Amino acid sequence: MTDEVLLMRLTGEDTRAAEQAFNVLFRTYHLIALGMLRRKYFDGNREDAENAVQQAFVNLWQARHRLDIPNIAAWRGLLRLTAERCYIDIVKAKKPEFELPPELPMGSGEEEIVETIRIAFLLNRLNFAADVLWLGLDPALTLEEHNRRLLAAQLFYLEEWSLKEITQMLSRTRPEEAAVSIKILEGWLRDPAVLRQVAYSRLYFTRLALTVHLLGLPEETEADHLETLLSLSEAGHSALPGLAEWNWHEVHAILWRYHRNVLHTVSPGIPLCTLQDSELVKLFVICRNKFPFSLVMKNLLYMTQGQLGHICGEKKTGLWRRLAFQYCYRNSLTHQDIHDRIEPAAQQVEANVSLIVLQGWISDHRLLGQLAAQCKKLYEGGLE
């Protein structure tokens, strides 16, 4: 039975057929929806994402008689938007457990920066402040509205939906509000802030996502699976499931280097490593050559008809600073590792993000100081 038939049964009058179709769709699209959230909300945890996806399916089931889902693309878009809205509701309702981002400055004279960043992080406002500062988001709009515009742009530029299909999908998700017109949608798609969001959502790779890419695993692969692979590699398995390109010595090194973020050049190095230093150097050169960032940027330039080149090239550093902040303070990467992830993409638009430039941004906690100032501006009164 095709997915199209399942969607027809889901929205039909036969309750038993609808239940059967819903169960099949849940099994098929549950992990896909989780992957959508993981790629969008980089700092979210698995439990919140799981709860959001389950709630999204519940909401879609309850609204099934009102749904108009003409094809699978519409179903995927509706599921993504519903899951994102559920995730946002969960995060807003949840009292965050405070954990300082790593490597915050603690020297004398920097206490105000630390406190401002600490409270913004506590209130789940740090990422939004960073997006306002470096991507140019309008602080007067809600996070949900920014996500809606980003989704529209992703569907148009990345998945080649038509303007009509996007407006229809957006209207179905908010039937109580006035429909989004083609003219309004075209304005969103030309907005530099929205374009930077699209680029950031594609160019930022968590350690998990990059490791999954290097190993050639499905995008929805979770961290638990990588830990299982690490255990298998340390047990000396000669063959690893789904990893024909690499032997277990190489898989072991790649997992420690990119997933666990352990440098072989820094003592104590990679535990239980059986490869010589020269072999590790060669392996990691191969891995860097497999990095996706240059190709992703080329595709973005093509899909946006070069618009990103005008808003992210030369001295327009907002996108690159946003990436640098995330990689440094939320992923704890070295300056060289950050450079290896940003510079290949920046080259495509002739932006100068050399290692020296990058070190200038990060040294003396300049990015943190800029973000702290933005937090105070945005949340003055809320950060007292």
Side-chain angles (χ1 to χ4, degrees):
M1 188 181 301
T2 66
D3 287 353
E4 286 79 3
V5 173
L6 291 171
L7 291 174
M8 290 178 59
R9 293 191 174 187
L10 175 65
T11 56
E13 295 299 327
D14 188 332
T15 302
R16 182 175 178 80
E19 289 177 351
Q20 293 173 343
F22 177 82
N23 290 334
V24 175
L25 289 168
F26 180 83
R27 290 195 298 270
T28 303
Y29 287 93
H30 175 259
L31 286 179
I32 294 174
L34 275 177
M36 292 174 182
L37 287 178
R38 190 195 70 187
R39 290 190 295 275
K40 177 73 176 291
Y41 297 98
F42 312 109
D43 301 314
N45 61 58
R46 165 103 187 193
E47 182 180 357
D48 287 344
E50 182 76 42
N51 291 337
V53 169
Q54 291 183 10
Q55 186 59 51
F57 274 97
V58 170
N59 292 353
L60 291 172
W61 169 256
Q62 292 174 342
R64 66 189 184 280
H65 294 306
R66 302 193 305 273
L67 297 179
D68 177 18
I69 312 174
N71 50 49
I72 293 302
W75 162 254
R76 289 173 65 98
L78 182 60
L79 176 59
R80 177 193 300 181
L81 187 58
T82 305
E84 288 180 0
R85 294 178 70 177
C86 290
Y87 183 85
I88 291 170
D89 289 342
I90 288 172
V91 171
K92 284 181 178 179
K94 181 179 177 183
K95 183 177 180 180
E97 297 177 3
F98 176 66
E99 177 185 353
L100 267 174
E103 299 185 12
L104 279 177
M106 296 304 291
S108 60
E110 295 174 321
E111 292 83 358
E112 184 177 0
I113 290 178
V114 175
E115 184 63 12
T116 301
I117 295 293
R118 184 187 73 84
I119 298 176
F121 187 78
L122 176 64
L123 297 176
N124 281 329
R125 294 173 175 175
L126 195 60
N127 281 342
F128 181 66
D131 290 343
V132 170
L133 174 61
W134 290 306
L135 301 184
L137 268 61
D138 183 351
L141 299 177
T142 65
L143 178 60
E144 183 179 10
E145 178 61 23
H146 284 300
N147 288 334
R148 194 161 72 121
R149 297 182 181 196
L150 173 60
L151 174 60
Q154 289 173 327
L155 292 174
F156 181 78
Y157 290 116
L158 307 182
E159 300 185 25
E160 299 182 334
W161 282 36
S162 69
L163 296 177
K164 183 178 179 180
E165 288 173 328
I166 296 172
T167 56
Q168 288 175 343
M169 187 275 292
L170 293 175
S171 298
R172 284 195 297 270
T173 61
R174 289 185 176 181
E176 73 282 359
E177 297 183 8
V180 175
S181 67
I182 296 290
K183 183 177 181 180
I184 290 175
L185 178 58
E186 289 176 334
W188 294 357
L189 299 176
R190 292 191 300 267
D191 186 345
V194 173
L195 288 169
R196 291 190 200 98
Q197 272 192 298
V198 172
Y200 178 76
S201 72
R202 296 293 292 174
L203 288 170
Y204 175 71
F205 277 64
T206 62
R207 297 205 303 260
L208 168 63
L210 183 58
T211 307
V212 165
H213 170 81
L214 292 174
L215 294 178
L217 295 169
E219 285 188 357
E220 61 269 18
T221 301
E222 296 292 339
D224 289 347
H225 183 66
L226 295 190
E227 293 300 324
T228 298
L229 288 178
L230 186 57
S231 298
L232 291 173
S233 71
E234 291 178 345
H237 282 244
S238 58
L240 294 168
L243 298 170
E245 182 177 356
W246 308 102
N247 62 48
W248 69 266
H249 306 275
E250 294 167 336
V251 170
H252 176 267
I254 290 170
L255 287 168
W256 276 102
R257 174 68 180 86
Y258 296 105
H259 180 50
R260 292 284 189 88
N261 197 30
V262 171
L263 300 176
H264 69 286
T265 55
V266 178
S267 181
I270 297 176
L272 304 176
C273 185
T274 57
L275 299 176
Q276 300 296 319
D277 284 347
S278 60
E279 293 175 307
L280 288 172
V281 170
K282 182 179 179 179
L283 172 64
F284 297 142
V285 168
I286 293 173
C287 287
R288 285 196 297 275
N289 289 336
K290 289 181 174 289
F291 278 6
F293 309 106
S294 179
L295 180 59
V296 168
M297 193 64 192
K298 287 180 181 179
N299 289 337
L300 286 169
L301 287 169
Y302 173 77
M303 293 169 181
T304 63
Q305 298 183 336
Q307 292 182 74
L308 277 173
H310 298 297
I311 64 175
C312 300
E314 298 182 0
K315 297 181 180 180
K316 298 171 183 177
T317 61
L319 171 64
W320 315 116
R321 290 175 187 254
R322 179 68 181 92
L323 288 165
F325 171 81
Q326 200 75 6
Y327 282 131
C328 180
Y329 292 104
R330 303 309 294 272
N331 294 98
S332 304
L333 299 184
T334 66
H335 291 185
Q336 184 63 59
D337 278 350
I338 298 171
H339 176 262
D340 290 343
R341 286 157 174 76
I342 295 179
E343 197 267 345
Q347 276 190 339
Q348 300 303 318
V349 292
E350 300 181 355
N352 179 18
V353 189
S354 67
L355 187 58
I356 293 175
V357 168
L358 188 64
Q359 288 171 335
W361 294 347
I362 297 173
S363 63
D364 298 325
H365 309 293
R366 289 190 178 92
L367 290 180
L368 276 179
Q370 294 169 11
L371 185 56
Q374 182 66 62
C375 287
K376 293 196 72 172
K377 181 180 178 181
L378 284 176
Y379 310 126
E380 189 172 5
L383 295 181
E384 296 296 327

